[in-house]
Protein backbone atom coordinates (compact mmCIF):
# COMPACT_ATOMS: atom_id res chain seq x y z
CA UNK A 1 0.00 0.00 0.00
CA UNK A 2 0.92 3.64 0.00
CA UNK A 3 3.36 5.48 2.23
CA UNK A 4 2.42 7.58 5.25
CA UNK A 5 -0.29 10.18 4.61
CA UNK A 6 0.82 13.71 3.88
CA UNK A 7 -1.01 16.56 5.61
CA UNK A 8 -2.71 18.91 3.17
CA UNK A 9 -0.86 22.04 4.18
CA UNK A 10 2.64 20.55 4.34
CA UNK A 11 2.87 19.30 0.76
CA UNK A 12 5.66 21.05 -1.11
CA UNK A 13 4.47 23.64 -3.61
CA UNK A 14 6.63 22.07 -6.33
CA UNK A 15 4.46 18.95 -6.19
CA UNK A 16 1.47 20.94 -7.38
CA UNK A 17 2.81 21.46 -10.87
CA UNK A 18 3.67 19.15 -13.77
CA UNK A 19 7.34 18.54 -14.50
CA UNK A 20 9.32 18.91 -17.71
CA UNK A 21 11.58 16.23 -19.21
CA UNK A 22 14.37 17.12 -16.77
CA UNK A 23 12.11 16.72 -13.73
CA UNK A 24 11.82 20.44 -12.94
CA UNK A 25 8.39 21.86 -12.05
CA UNK A 26 6.70 23.86 -14.78
CA UNK A 27 4.55 26.72 -13.50
CA UNK A 28 2.07 28.29 -15.89
CA UNK A 29 1.79 32.05 -16.30
CA UNK A 30 -1.90 31.82 -15.32
CA UNK A 31 -3.41 30.42 -12.10
CA UNK A 32 -3.97 26.68 -12.54
CA UNK A 33 -7.30 24.99 -13.11
CA UNK A 34 -7.80 22.27 -10.51
CA UNK A 35 -10.23 19.37 -10.78
CA UNK A 36 -10.63 17.87 -7.33
CA UNK A 37 -12.47 14.84 -6.05
CA UNK A 38 -13.08 13.43 -2.57
CA UNK A 39 -12.47 9.68 -2.53
CA UNK A 40 -13.26 6.88 -0.13
CA UNK A 41 -12.68 3.30 -1.30
CA UNK A 42 -13.21 4.18 -4.98
CA UNK A 43 -10.68 1.83 -6.61
CA UNK A 44 -13.34 0.59 -9.05
CA UNK A 45 -14.09 3.96 -10.68
CA UNK A 46 -11.44 6.51 -9.79
CA UNK A 47 -9.06 5.62 -12.65
CA UNK A 48 -11.64 6.40 -15.32
CA UNK A 49 -12.66 9.61 -13.55
CA UNK A 50 -9.06 10.87 -13.29
CA UNK A 51 -8.18 10.02 -16.90
CA UNK A 52 -11.26 11.77 -18.27
CA UNK A 53 -10.87 14.80 -15.97
CA UNK A 54 -7.20 15.40 -16.83
CA UNK A 55 -7.97 16.88 -20.24
CA UNK A 56 -9.72 19.83 -18.56
CA UNK A 57 -7.29 20.43 -15.68
CA UNK A 58 -3.77 21.58 -15.00
CA UNK A 59 -3.88 19.59 -11.76
CA UNK A 60 -6.10 16.68 -10.73
CA UNK A 61 -6.38 16.61 -6.94
CA UNK A 62 -7.60 13.53 -5.07
CA UNK A 63 -8.35 13.87 -1.36
CA UNK A 64 -8.40 10.35 0.01
CA UNK A 65 -10.59 10.18 3.10
CA UNK A 66 -9.06 7.17 4.83
CA UNK A 67 -9.57 4.56 2.10
CA UNK A 68 -8.73 0.93 2.85
CA UNK A 69 -8.47 -0.22 -0.77
CA UNK A 70 -6.14 0.71 -3.65
CA UNK A 71 -7.62 4.16 -4.31
CA UNK A 72 -4.38 5.96 -3.41
CA UNK A 73 -1.86 3.94 -5.46
CA UNK A 74 -4.15 4.02 -8.49
CA UNK A 75 -4.56 7.80 -8.27
CA UNK A 76 -0.82 8.36 -7.82
CA UNK A 77 0.02 6.05 -10.70
CA UNK A 78 -2.19 8.19 -12.95
CA UNK A 79 -0.35 11.39 -11.96
CA UNK A 80 -2.92 12.89 -9.61
CA UNK A 81 -1.86 14.96 -6.63
CA UNK A 82 -3.04 12.84 -3.70
CA UNK A 83 -3.57 14.11 -0.18
CA UNK A 84 -4.55 11.56 2.44
CA UNK A 85 -6.55 11.80 5.64
CA UNK A 86 -5.32 9.37 8.26
CA UNK A 87 -8.91 8.81 9.38
CA UNK A 88 -12.24 9.29 7.63
CA UNK A 89 -13.25 12.92 8.19
CA UNK A 90 -16.42 12.89 6.14
CA UNK A 91 -17.52 14.84 3.09
CA UNK A 92 -17.13 18.23 4.75
CA UNK A 93 -13.62 17.37 5.89
CA UNK A 94 -12.65 16.35 2.36
CA UNK A 95 -14.06 19.61 0.95
CA UNK A 96 -12.16 21.62 3.54
CA UNK A 97 -8.89 19.99 2.48
CA UNK A 98 -9.74 20.62 -1.17
CA UNK A 99 -10.34 24.33 -0.61
CA UNK A 100 -7.30 24.71 1.68
CA UNK A 101 -5.13 23.05 -0.95
CA UNK A 102 -6.63 25.09 -3.79
CA UNK A 103 -5.75 28.28 -1.91
CA UNK A 104 -2.22 27.04 -1.27
CA UNK A 105 -1.82 26.18 -4.94
CA UNK A 106 -3.17 29.57 -5.97
CA UNK A 107 -5.86 27.97 -8.11
CA UNK A 108 -7.79 30.27 -10.40
CA UNK A 109 -10.52 27.72 -11.05
CA UNK A 110 -11.64 24.76 -8.95
CA UNK A 111 -14.01 22.05 -10.14
CA UNK A 112 -15.24 19.47 -7.62
CA UNK A 113 -16.55 16.20 -8.99
CA UNK A 114 -17.47 12.84 -7.47
CA UNK A 115 -14.90 10.07 -7.88
CA UNK A 116 -17.45 7.25 -7.89
CA UNK A 117 -18.45 7.48 -11.55
CA UNK A 118 -21.83 9.18 -11.05
CA UNK A 119 -20.71 12.45 -12.64
CA UNK A 120 -19.63 12.69 -16.27
CA UNK A 121 -16.26 14.49 -16.52
CA UNK A 122 -17.24 15.75 -19.99
CA UNK A 123 -19.53 18.23 -18.21
CA UNK A 124 -16.47 19.91 -16.65
CA UNK A 125 -15.99 21.81 -19.90
CA UNK A 126 -19.48 23.34 -19.70
CA UNK A 127 -19.07 24.37 -16.06
CA UNK A 128 -15.71 26.02 -16.81
CA UNK A 129 -17.13 27.79 -19.84
CA UNK A 130 -19.91 29.26 -17.70
CA UNK A 131 -17.42 30.17 -14.96
CA UNK A 132 -15.31 32.06 -17.49
CA UNK A 133 -18.31 34.16 -18.47
CA UNK A 134 -17.87 35.98 -15.16
CA UNK A 135 -19.63 33.84 -12.58
CA UNK A 136 -18.07 33.06 -9.20
CA UNK A 137 -19.78 29.68 -8.81
CA UNK A 138 -21.37 27.32 -11.32
CA UNK A 139 -23.53 24.46 -10.03
CA UNK A 140 -24.14 21.33 -12.06
CA UNK A 141 -27.92 20.82 -11.92
CA UNK A 142 -29.79 17.55 -12.32
CA UNK A 143 -33.08 19.38 -12.83
CA UNK A 144 -32.42 21.89 -15.61
CA UNK A 145 -33.57 21.25 -19.16
CA UNK A 146 -30.85 19.24 -20.85
CA UNK A 147 -29.83 17.29 -17.76
CA UNK A 148 -29.92 13.51 -18.10
CA UNK A 149 -30.16 10.70 -15.57
CA UNK A 150 -33.00 8.66 -14.13
CA UNK A 151 -33.20 10.01 -10.58
CA UNK A 152 -35.18 7.69 -8.25
CA UNK A 153 -38.51 9.19 -7.16
CA UNK A 154 -37.71 9.00 -3.45
CA UNK A 155 -34.50 10.94 -4.05
CA UNK A 156 -36.38 13.65 -5.96
CA UNK A 157 -38.77 14.17 -3.04
CA UNK A 158 -35.91 14.41 -0.55
CA UNK A 159 -33.92 16.73 -2.80
CA UNK A 160 -36.83 19.13 -3.17
CA UNK A 161 -37.29 19.34 0.61
CA UNK A 162 -33.58 20.09 1.04
CA UNK A 163 -33.66 22.55 -1.89
CA UNK A 164 -36.51 24.50 -0.29
CA UNK A 165 -34.76 24.70 3.10
CA UNK A 166 -31.40 25.62 1.56
CA UNK A 167 -32.93 28.26 -0.72
CA UNK A 168 -34.59 29.89 2.27
CA UNK A 169 -31.33 29.88 4.23
CA UNK A 170 -29.14 31.10 1.37
CA UNK A 171 -31.62 33.31 -0.52
CA UNK A 172 -30.35 31.73 -3.75
CA UNK A 173 -32.82 30.73 -6.45
CA UNK A 174 -31.26 27.48 -7.63
CA UNK A 175 -32.72 24.16 -8.77
CA UNK A 176 -30.21 21.72 -7.28
CA UNK A 177 -28.79 22.74 -3.91
CA UNK A 178 -27.43 19.26 -3.17
CA UNK A 179 -25.35 18.84 -6.31
CA UNK A 180 -21.74 17.92 -5.56
CA UNK A 181 -20.62 18.85 -9.09
CA UNK A 182 -19.59 22.51 -8.89
CA UNK A 183 -17.04 24.96 -10.28
CA UNK A 184 -15.58 27.83 -8.24
CA UNK A 185 -13.71 30.91 -9.38
CA UNK A 186 -10.89 32.71 -7.59
CA UNK A 187 -13.16 34.89 -5.44
CA UNK A 188 -15.21 31.92 -4.26
CA UNK A 189 -12.10 29.85 -3.50
CA UNK A 190 -10.75 32.61 -1.28
CA UNK A 191 -14.10 33.29 0.42
CA UNK A 192 -15.53 29.89 1.34
CA UNK A 193 -14.67 28.48 4.77
CA UNK A 194 -15.94 25.41 6.63
CA UNK A 195 -17.39 24.88 10.06
CA UNK A 196 -18.04 21.12 10.02
CA UNK A 197 -17.22 17.78 8.44
CA UNK A 198 -20.67 16.41 7.68
CA UNK A 199 -22.73 16.05 4.50
CA UNK A 200 -24.37 19.46 5.01
CA UNK A 201 -21.17 21.16 3.81
CA UNK A 202 -22.71 21.67 0.37
CA UNK A 203 -25.61 23.63 1.84
CA UNK A 204 -23.25 25.53 4.14
CA UNK A 205 -21.26 26.63 1.10
CA UNK A 206 -24.42 27.95 -0.58
CA UNK A 207 -25.33 29.96 2.51
CA UNK A 208 -21.87 31.55 2.45
CA UNK A 209 -22.23 32.21 -1.28
CA UNK A 210 -25.49 34.05 -0.64
CA UNK A 211 -24.05 35.99 2.31
CA UNK A 212 -21.08 37.25 0.23
CA UNK A 213 -23.12 38.09 -2.89
CA UNK A 214 -21.17 35.71 -5.12
CA UNK A 215 -22.49 35.44 -8.66
CA UNK A 216 -24.04 32.00 -9.25
CA UNK A 217 -25.15 30.12 -12.37
CA UNK A 218 -26.29 26.58 -13.11
CA UNK A 219 -25.54 24.17 -15.94
CA UNK A 220 -27.33 20.90 -16.76
CA UNK A 221 -25.27 17.77 -16.11
CA UNK A 222 -25.42 14.06 -16.74
CA UNK A 223 -25.82 11.81 -13.71
CA UNK A 224 -25.82 8.04 -13.20
CA UNK A 225 -27.75 6.14 -10.53
CA UNK A 226 -27.10 2.66 -11.90
CA UNK A 227 -23.74 2.41 -10.11
CA UNK A 228 -23.64 0.28 -6.98
CA UNK A 229 -22.24 1.40 -3.63
CA UNK A 230 -21.97 5.09 -4.52
CA UNK A 231 -22.68 6.11 -0.92
CA UNK A 232 -21.99 4.55 2.46
CA UNK A 233 -24.94 6.43 4.01
CA UNK A 234 -28.59 5.44 4.05
CA UNK A 235 -30.44 8.00 1.83
CA UNK A 236 -33.07 8.70 4.51
CA UNK A 237 -30.44 9.18 7.22
CA UNK A 238 -28.39 11.33 4.88
CA UNK A 239 -31.38 13.53 4.01
CA UNK A 240 -32.46 13.98 7.63
CA UNK A 241 -28.88 14.76 8.65
CA UNK A 242 -28.54 17.46 5.98
CA UNK A 243 -31.99 18.88 6.75
CA UNK A 244 -31.27 19.14 10.48
CA UNK A 245 -27.99 20.92 9.73
CA UNK A 246 -29.69 23.35 7.35
CA UNK A 247 -32.40 24.08 9.92
CA UNK A 248 -29.67 24.76 12.47
CA UNK A 249 -28.00 27.16 10.05
CA UNK A 250 -31.34 28.92 9.51
CA UNK A 251 -31.69 29.31 13.27
CA UNK A 252 -28.30 31.05 13.36
CA UNK A 253 -29.21 33.34 10.48
CA UNK A 254 -32.74 34.37 11.51
CA UNK A 255 -33.03 33.66 15.25
CA UNK A 256 -35.90 36.06 15.88
CA UNK A 257 -38.08 34.40 13.25
CA UNK A 258 -36.89 30.87 13.99
CA UNK A 259 -37.42 31.09 17.75
CA UNK A 260 -39.74 34.08 18.00
CA UNK A 261 -42.66 32.84 15.88
CA UNK A 262 -42.98 29.46 17.68
CA UNK A 263 -42.46 31.31 20.96
CA UNK A 264 -45.24 33.77 20.14
CA UNK A 265 -47.61 30.95 19.16
CA UNK A 266 -46.89 29.06 22.37
CA UNK A 267 -47.29 32.21 24.46
CA UNK A 268 -50.62 33.01 22.79
CA UNK A 269 -51.85 29.46 23.37
CA UNK A 270 -50.71 29.65 27.00
CA UNK A 271 -52.58 32.89 27.60
CA UNK A 272 -55.72 31.46 25.99
CA UNK A 273 -55.47 28.24 28.02
CA UNK A 274 -54.94 30.23 31.21
CA UNK A 275 -57.92 32.47 30.47
CA UNK A 276 -60.05 29.37 29.81
CA UNK A 277 -58.91 27.77 33.08
CA UNK A 278 -59.80 30.80 35.21
CA UNK A 279 -63.10 31.24 33.34
CA UNK A 280 -64.03 27.63 34.14
CA UNK A 281 -63.09 28.17 37.80
CA UNK A 282 -65.20 31.34 37.93
CA UNK A 283 -68.26 29.53 36.52
CA UNK A 284 -67.97 26.12 38.21
CA UNK A 285 -65.77 26.89 41.28
CA UNK A 286 -63.76 23.78 40.28
CA UNK A 287 -60.16 24.57 39.45
CA UNK A 288 -59.00 22.81 36.19
CA UNK A 289 -55.50 21.90 37.37
CA UNK A 290 -54.48 20.05 34.16
CA UNK A 291 -55.47 22.94 31.90
CA UNK A 292 -53.73 25.39 34.21
CA UNK A 293 -50.49 23.34 34.08
CA UNK A 294 -50.66 23.20 30.28
CA UNK A 295 -51.10 26.97 30.24
CA UNK A 296 -48.15 27.49 32.58
CA UNK A 297 -45.79 25.18 30.66
CA UNK A 298 -46.63 26.65 27.25
CA UNK A 299 -46.21 30.18 28.60
CA UNK A 300 -42.79 29.30 30.02
CA UNK A 301 -41.70 27.57 26.79
CA UNK A 302 -42.98 30.46 24.67
CA UNK A 303 -41.21 33.10 26.73
CA UNK A 304 -37.98 31.06 26.70
CA UNK A 305 -38.09 30.78 22.91
CA UNK A 306 -38.76 34.50 22.46
CA UNK A 307 -35.96 35.37 24.89
CA UNK A 308 -33.57 32.97 23.14
CA UNK A 309 -34.36 34.55 19.78
CA UNK A 310 -33.74 38.06 21.09
CA UNK A 311 -30.45 37.08 22.77
CA UNK A 312 -29.14 35.23 19.71
CA UNK A 313 -30.13 38.09 17.43
CA UNK A 314 -28.28 40.53 19.68
CA UNK A 315 -25.16 38.35 19.70
CA UNK A 316 -25.23 37.94 15.91
CA UNK A 317 -25.64 41.70 15.48
CA UNK A 318 -22.68 42.37 17.76
CA UNK A 319 -20.52 39.80 15.92
CA UNK A 320 -21.53 41.20 12.52
CA UNK A 321 -20.73 44.73 13.64
CA UNK A 322 -17.35 43.57 14.92
CA UNK A 323 -16.55 41.83 11.61
CA UNK A 324 -17.65 44.87 9.66
CA UNK A 325 -15.36 47.03 11.77
CA UNK A 326 -12.48 44.72 10.89
CA UNK A 327 -13.11 45.24 7.20
CA UNK A 328 -15.02 41.98 6.66
CA UNK A 329 -18.43 41.77 5.05
CA UNK A 330 -21.10 40.87 7.61
CA UNK A 331 -23.50 38.05 6.73
CA UNK A 332 -26.97 39.00 5.59
Amino acid sequence: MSSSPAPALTVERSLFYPKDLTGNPVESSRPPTVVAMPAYNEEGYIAKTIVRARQYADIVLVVDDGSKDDTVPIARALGALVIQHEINRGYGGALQTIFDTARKIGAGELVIIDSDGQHDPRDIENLLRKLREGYDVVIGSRFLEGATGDIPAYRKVGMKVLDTATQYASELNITDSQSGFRAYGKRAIQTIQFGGNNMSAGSEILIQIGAHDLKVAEEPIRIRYDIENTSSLNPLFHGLSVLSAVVRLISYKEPIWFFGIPGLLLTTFGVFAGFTAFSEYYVTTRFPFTLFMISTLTLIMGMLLITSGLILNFLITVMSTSKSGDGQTPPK
Side-chain angles (χ1 to χ4, degrees):
M1 288 297 290
S2 59
S3 58
S4 298
L9 298 181
T10 61
V11 179
E12 292 297 328
R13 184 176 176 84
S14 61
L15 296 179
F16 293 139
Y17 296 94
K19 294 180 174 58
D20 60 21
L21 295 177
T22 63
N24 296 316
V26 177
E27 297 193 26
S28 172
S29 59
R30 63 174 176 80
T33 297
V34 178
V35 174
M37 57 195 78
Y40 178 67
N41 294 336
E42 302 294 355
E43 63 180 7
Y45 291 96
I46 196 166
K48 182 181 291 186
T49 305
I50 291 173
V51 169
R52 297 175 70 187
R54 284 177 63 179
Q55 59 186 303
Y56 307 106
D58 298 308
I59 301 164
V60 174
L61 169 64
V62 175
V63 173
D64 177 71
D65 200 24
S67 295
K68 305 301 182 183
D69 63 2
D70 287 332
T71 295
V72 170
I74 291 172
R76 283 184 173 154
L78 291 171
L81 169 63
V82 179
I83 296 177
Q84 293 176 264
H85 292 166
E86 295 185 12
I87 59 173
N88 186 278
R89 290 172 48 189
Y91 183 66
L95 289 183
Q96 181 175 14
T97 297
I98 286 173
F99 274 85
D100 288 346
T101 307
R103 284 189 283 267
K104 185 175 179 65
I105 291 172
E109 298 168 328
L110 171 65
V111 180
I112 298 179
I113 185 172
D114 285 354
S115 58
D116 58 12
Q118 280 196 297
H119 294 151
D120 191 331
R122 290 177 297 176
D123 290 326
I124 294 173
E125 183 177 17
N126 294 331
L127 268 66
L128 287 174
R129 173 184 50 79
K130 197 73 174 180
L131 194 69
R132 291 163 186 170
E133 291 176 5
Y135 291 94
D136 297 304
V137 181
V138 181
I139 299 170
S141 174
R142 293 162 285 187
F143 301 107
L144 288 178
E145 183 178 355
T148 61
D150 189 14
I151 305 174
Y154 72 92
R155 285 184 178 269
K156 286 184 179 179
V157 173
M159 288 174 184
K160 289 305 177 184
V161 172
L162 295 176
D163 286 344
T164 300
T166 303
Q167 286 177 18
Y168 176 79
S170 65
E171 300 180 2
L172 295 175
N173 185 22
I174 55 177
T175 64
D176 194 353
S177 68
Q178 301 308 302
S179 173
F181 197 171
R182 300 178 184 178
Y184 301 90
K186 186 78 172 181
R187 185 182 172 204
I189 294 170
Q190 297 298 325
T191 298
I192 293 169
Q193 303 292 332
F194 290 86
N197 292 338
N198 54 39
M199 290 297 295
S200 66
S203 295
E204 181 183 348
I205 288 174
L206 292 179
I207 292 171
Q208 292 189 43
I209 289 170
H212 290 90
D213 290 322
L214 299 181
K215 193 176 180 182
V216 182
E218 290 185 288
E219 274 288 306
I221 58 172
R222 289 160 278 203
I223 188 77
R224 293 182 60 183
Y225 284 96
D226 58 342
I227 301 173
E228 295 182 357
N229 301 321
T230 56
S231 176
S232 58
L233 292 177
N234 177 279
L236 178 60
F237 176 79
H238 170 212
L240 292 175
S241 175
V242 175
L243 181 60
S244 65
V246 173
V247 170
R248 186 173 65 253
L249 291 170
I250 293 173
S251 72
Y252 296 156
K253 183 181 179 184
E254 300 287 352
I256 288 184
W257 292 103
F258 188 84
F259 293 101
I261 291 179
L264 182 61
L265 291 175
L266 285 172
T267 301
T268 302
F269 177 81
V271 171
F272 176 77
F275 177 79
T276 303
F278 281 104
S279 296
E280 183 176 337
Y281 174 71
Y282 180 78
V283 173
T284 64
T285 69
R286 292 195 304 268
F287 189 73
F289 182 77
T290 301
L291 186 60
F292 175 76
M293 288 302 299
I294 292 174
S295 169
T296 302
L297 289 174
T298 52
L299 275 171
I300 292 173
M301 291 174 61
M303 294 304 295
L304 283 174
L305 285 173
I306 292 173
T307 303
S308 298
L310 291 172
I311 292 173
L312 285 173
N313 185 71
F314 172 76
L315 292 174
I316 290 173
T317 301
V318 170
M319 292 173 63
S320 298
T321 303
S322 176
K323 288 182 179 180
S324 180
D326 292 336
Q328 301 180 32
T329 302
K332 292 184 175 181

